[in-house]
């Protein structure tokens, strides 16, 4: 594999300055304010995610969605994301828009998120104003609401890859690390604020009475927060068009470069070293050989070529994707069913009782307390993200990665063994450690892998074209983030069956604990860390 050939010489590294490269060949140091502005997209995205988590079930129940369609709602979006997200990442690697490579995609996906929010929070009101027939109104409301949920999830899942690739494109390695920590910090803040606002009974407040329902109130908040955050994000750091060979960050590959090179001669996601029609001197000897390689002409990305590229990933990239899949499977197994676990197991309520029965009211109280537990998770995710950059100096990325999986596995295990209200809420702080790690460490490792490949390339061809690019960052970020969608597919399709078989939702936290503890072993043995 392409990742093994240079591994022997990748144990010690020099900085770009030590290699004698000019500062003009790397991005300048970004001010803290710019990195915070760049992180606002994650704040808005997570705020809307929290609103969805708080309101999507009540919305679906209010429009009369049959239980048989629940699995379709939760599985359709991650399936689409898993299949298409790497394609979007690869296409963004070659986007020639005047505004840059990533920002057009981020803007388009943000608009899709707004449309999804509008449809699933206001769909019932919109259909009721247009259709008077009760049966047609119910069918229309269900269809519009489902479309809105799927569209929002689809866009919100997709946008993470271009955001991360945008950060990688315009920042130096040190600023990438700082930026990822700010991303995780504001992700936690956004989630916490969304859960807090979602827990407020807006129907009893003047704003709720003015706008009609609490669904409309949360749509107004979500639309304003997301719009403002995306505008700030898009104005944060300049991004030069792909066709420009100059800029304040490393020049990007041109469309003359192949989207995917052959598996035999070229690395996963690699891009030919051609700029503005000129080849570097180091490639002059390889011209005839490369011209004979399949896939060296410009063409559009296809699913077949995408799968070929992902199959040819170096082993350390593949192992990182697997560890990310394990982590998200464990995390989502617990988080997606956490409020139900609080209502049924901790509070011993009954979600299937009559709505005016004591058992059902107790269950609803457990769900409300579960929302506060998710808020605790989001707050501690932000706090841990702030201190994580200090801890990495002492224990390294490997120690942080391992401890995150271990603490989460032990925490969920204790929750399953001792389902007490106060201990469960206290252990929610460990969930925040896990979410912070999932948002930062894997992308830090991707940045490290890219840096070491660039350093190795400079050592092997010091006189080569400084504008040459290595592996496409968009593809790698998308391949990593699409593991989240695959985890959703596994959790949505498998845990429901497990709960029905076991007859108790307690199997959810047991599964999450077992998967996380398995992930401890995997990240310690298989994931490669850069010294």
């Amino acid at each position: 594999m392409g990742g093994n050939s240079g591994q022997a010489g990748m144990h010690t590294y020099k900085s770009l300055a030590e290699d004698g490269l000019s500062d003009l060949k790397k991005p300048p140091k970004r001010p803290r304010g710019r990195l915070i502005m760049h992180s606002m997209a994650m704040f808005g995205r997570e705020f809307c995610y929290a609103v969805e988590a708080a309101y999507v079930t009540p919305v679906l129940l209010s429009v009369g969605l049959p239980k048989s369609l629940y699995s379709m709602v939760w599985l359709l979006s991650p399936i689409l994301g898993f299949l298409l997200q790497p394609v979007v990442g690869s296409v963004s690697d070659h986007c020639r828009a005047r505004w840059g490579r990533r920002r057009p995609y981020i803007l388009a996906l943000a608009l899709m998120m707004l449309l999804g929010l509008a449809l699933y929070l206001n769909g019932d009101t919109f259909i009721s104003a247009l259709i008077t027939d009760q049966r047609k109104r119910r069918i229309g409301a269900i269809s519009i609401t489902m479309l809105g949920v799927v569209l929002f999830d689809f866009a919100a899942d997709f946008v993470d890859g271009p955001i991360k690739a945008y950060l990688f494109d315009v920042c130096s390695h040190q600023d990438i690390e700082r930026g990822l920590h700010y991303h995780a910090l504001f992700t936690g803040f956004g989630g916490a604020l969304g859960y807090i606002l979602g827990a407020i009974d807006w129907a009893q407040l003047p704003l709720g009475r003015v706008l009609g329902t609490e669904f409309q109130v949360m749509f107004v908040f979500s639309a304003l927060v997301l719009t403002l955050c995306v505008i700030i994000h898009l104005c944060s750091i300049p991004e030069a068009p792909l066709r420009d060979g100059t800029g304040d960050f490393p020049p990007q590959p041109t469309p003359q470069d192949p989207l995917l090179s052959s598996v035999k001669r070229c690395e996963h996601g690699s891009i030919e070293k051609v700029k503005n029609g000129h080849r570097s001197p180091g490639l002059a000897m390889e011209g005839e050989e490369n011209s004979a390689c399949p896939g060296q002409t410009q063409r559009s990305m296809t699913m077949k070529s995408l799968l070929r590229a992902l199959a040819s990933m170096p082993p350390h990239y593949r192992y990182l994707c697997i560890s990310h899949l394990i982590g998200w499977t464990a995390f989502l197994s617990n988080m997606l069913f956490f409020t139900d676990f609080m209502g049924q197991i901790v509070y011993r309520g009954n979600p299937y009782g009559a709505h005016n029965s004591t058992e059902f009211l107790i269950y609803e109280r457990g769900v409300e307390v579960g929302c506060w537990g998710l808020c605790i998770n989001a707050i501690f995710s932000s706090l841990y993200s702030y201190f994580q950059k200090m801890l990495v100096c002492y224990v390294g990325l490997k120690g942080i990665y391992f401890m995150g999986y271990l603490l989460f596995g032990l925490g969920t295990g204790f929750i399953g063994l001792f389902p007490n209200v106060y201990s469960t809420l206290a252990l929610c702080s460990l969930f925040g450690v896990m979410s912070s790690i999932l948002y930062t460490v894997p992308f830090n490792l991707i940045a490290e892998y890219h840096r070491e490949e660039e350093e190795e390339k400079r050592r092997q061809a010091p006189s080569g074209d400084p504008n040459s690019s290595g592996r496409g960052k968009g593809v790698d970020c998308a391949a990593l983030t699409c593991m989240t969608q695959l985890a959703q597919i596994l959790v949505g399709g498998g845990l429901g069956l497990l709960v029905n078989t076991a007859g108790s939702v307690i199997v959810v936290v047991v599964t999450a604990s077992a998967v996380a503890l398995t992930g401890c072993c995997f990240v310690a043995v298989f994931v490669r860390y850069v010294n």
Side-chain angles (χ1 to χ4, degrees):
M1 289 295 184
N4 293 334
S5 60
Q7 189 170 354
M10 294 182 181
H11 299 296
T12 58
Y13 306 97
K14 298 178 181 179
S15 67
L16 296 178
E18 290 172 338
D19 280 343
L21 296 176
S22 169
D23 287 341
L24 295 176
K25 298 175 184 176
K26 65 177 182 179
K29 180 177 177 60
R30 302 298 182 184
R32 176 182 299 177
R34 292 287 180 175
L35 295 177
I36 291 176
M37 290 173 64
H38 194 278
S39 303
M40 293 307 295
M42 302 303 294
F43 181 95
R45 171 180 177 264
E46 200 64 22
F47 178 90
C48 295
Y49 258 141
V51 170
E52 184 196 36
Y55 281 95
V56 70
T57 299
V59 169
L60 292 173
L61 291 175
S62 68
V63 298
L65 181 71
K67 291 184 178 180
S68 59
L69 296 180
Y70 278 158
S71 60
M72 181 184 299
V73 173
W74 296 117
L75 290 178
L76 183 58
S77 176
I79 289 173
L80 291 174
F82 177 71
L83 294 176
L84 299 179
Q85 192 170 42
V87 176
V88 172
S90 177
V91 172
S92 73
D93 277 337
H94 304 273
C95 176
R96 290 174 60 86
R98 295 179 59 187
W99 209 20
R101 291 199 290 175
R102 317 296 179 184
R103 290 189 290 180
Y105 288 92
I106 294 171
L107 177 61
L109 291 168
L111 293 175
M112 290 176 62
M113 289 174 63
L114 284 174
L115 179 59
L117 284 169
L119 290 178
Y120 90 78
L121 287 175
N122 302 287
D124 189 23
T125 303
F126 178 73
I127 292 296
S128 298
L130 295 179
I131 302 176
T132 56
D133 183 79
Q134 188 69 24
R135 181 175 177 275
K136 292 182 178 179
R137 178 189 299 176
R138 179 172 177 268
I139 295 175
I142 291 174
S143 302
I144 291 294
T145 303
M146 287 182 62
L147 177 62
V149 173
V150 172
L151 186 63
F152 172 81
D153 282 339
F154 177 82
D157 290 340
F158 260 59
V159 78
D160 188 51
I163 289 174
K164 293 294 192 299
Y166 177 17
L167 179 70
F168 285 17
D169 287 343
V170 299
C171 290
S172 65
H173 180 75
Q174 291 76 14
D175 286 341
I176 288 173
E177 291 182 345
R178 294 168 61 210
L180 288 173
H181 287 301
Y182 284 125
H183 278 197
L185 181 68
F186 283 92
T187 293
F189 284 155
L193 182 59
Y195 286 125
I196 290 173
L197 292 179
I200 297 175
D201 187 5
W202 292 103
Q204 305 301 321
L205 298 178
L207 184 60
R209 290 192 288 269
V210 170
L211 294 178
T213 68
E214 57 186 1
F215 297 155
Q216 276 73 54
V217 173
M218 293 313 299
F219 169 71
V220 170
F221 275 116
S222 301
L224 289 176
V225 169
L226 181 61
T227 301
L228 181 62
C229 288
V230 170
I231 291 174
I232 294 173
H233 169 78
L234 295 177
C235 298
S236 60
I237 303 175
E239 185 184 13
L242 181 61
R243 63 178 177 272
D244 291 341
T246 60
D248 61 353
F249 53 88
Q252 312 300 344
T254 63
Q256 285 85 1
D257 304 330
L259 290 181
L260 291 172
S261 51
S262 71
V263 177
K264 294 182 67 175
R265 284 199 50 83
C266 307
E267 296 181 23
H268 152 74
S270 65
I271 300 171
E272 190 68 20
K273 304 175 184 177
V274 181
K275 281 291 176 183
N276 299 325
H278 300 283
R279 291 183 299 172
S280 63
L283 291 179
M285 304 269 312
E286 301 176 359
E288 294 182 0
E289 294 179 17
N290 287 341
S291 64
C293 286
Q296 293 297 308
T297 59
Q298 181 182 354
R299 66 176 186 273
S300 60
M301 171 68 76
T302 65
M303 183 57 64
K304 181 179 179 180
S305 58
L306 167 66
L307 294 176
R308 186 185 301 117
L310 296 179
S312 64
M313 294 176 79
H316 53 285
Y317 281 86
R318 188 179 301 115
Y319 291 146
L320 182 60
C321 287
I322 294 173
S323 70
H324 203 52
L325 172 62
I326 294 173
W328 273 109
T329 301
F331 186 73
L332 292 175
S333 296
N334 184 64
M335 302 308 289
L336 292 181
F337 292 86
F338 182 73
T339 53
D340 189 44
F341 172 81
M342 288 290 291
Q344 289 197 55
I345 304 301
V346 178
Y347 274 79
R348 302 184 183 278
N350 180 14
Y352 305 106
H355 284 200
N356 58 351
S357 65
T358 302
E359 293 84 0
F360 183 80
L361 295 177
I362 291 175
Y363 173 80
E364 282 196 326
R365 175 58 181 166
V367 171
E368 292 175 1
V369 175
C371 288
W372 285 109
L374 296 178
C375 181
I376 293 173
N377 153 68
I379 292 173
F380 272 86
S381 175
S382 293
L383 293 176
Y384 185 74
S385 299
Y386 180 78
F387 291 106
Q388 189 185 121
K389 55 186 176 183
M390 293 181 281
L391 292 175
V392 73
C393 299
Y394 298 98
V395 299
L397 287 178
K398 183 175 183 179
I400 289 177
Y401 210 15
F402 177 83
M403 288 303 298
Y405 279 65
L406 179 63
L407 291 175
F408 183 82
L410 294 177
T412 50
F414 279 121
I415 286 175
L417 293 174
F418 309 104
N420 177 269
V421 176
Y422 300 105
S423 63
T424 300
L425 290 177
L427 289 170
C428 284
S429 60
L430 299 182
F431 303 165
V433 175
M434 184 67 164
S435 62
S436 173
I437 284 171
L438 291 174
Y439 280 118
T440 55
V441 174
F443 294 97
N444 267 323
L445 290 174
I446 284 285
E448 294 280 3
Y449 296 163
H450 277 276
R451 183 180 68 159
E452 81 173 5
E453 289 175 357
E454 292 168 1
E455 295 292 316
E456 182 68 15
K457 189 175 298 182
R458 290 187 180 97
R459 285 196 294 269
Q460 292 178 353
S463 61
D465 185 359
N467 290 339
S468 62
S469 293
R471 192 183 320 280
K473 296 182 180 70
V475 174
D476 287 337
C477 289
L480 191 62
T481 55
C482 78
M483 293 299 104
T484 307
Q485 280 81 54
L486 182 56
Q488 290 181 45
I489 295 171
L490 295 176
V491 171
L495 274 188
L497 179 61
L498 283 177
V499 172
N500 290 333
T501 302
S504 173
V505 76
I506 200 169
V507 72
V508 171
V509 294
V510 174
T511 301
S513 178
V515 173
L517 293 176
T518 302
C520 285
C521 303
F522 192 91
V523 300
V525 175
F526 293 100
V527 176
R528 183 163 70 82
Y529 303 88
V530 178
N531 296 327

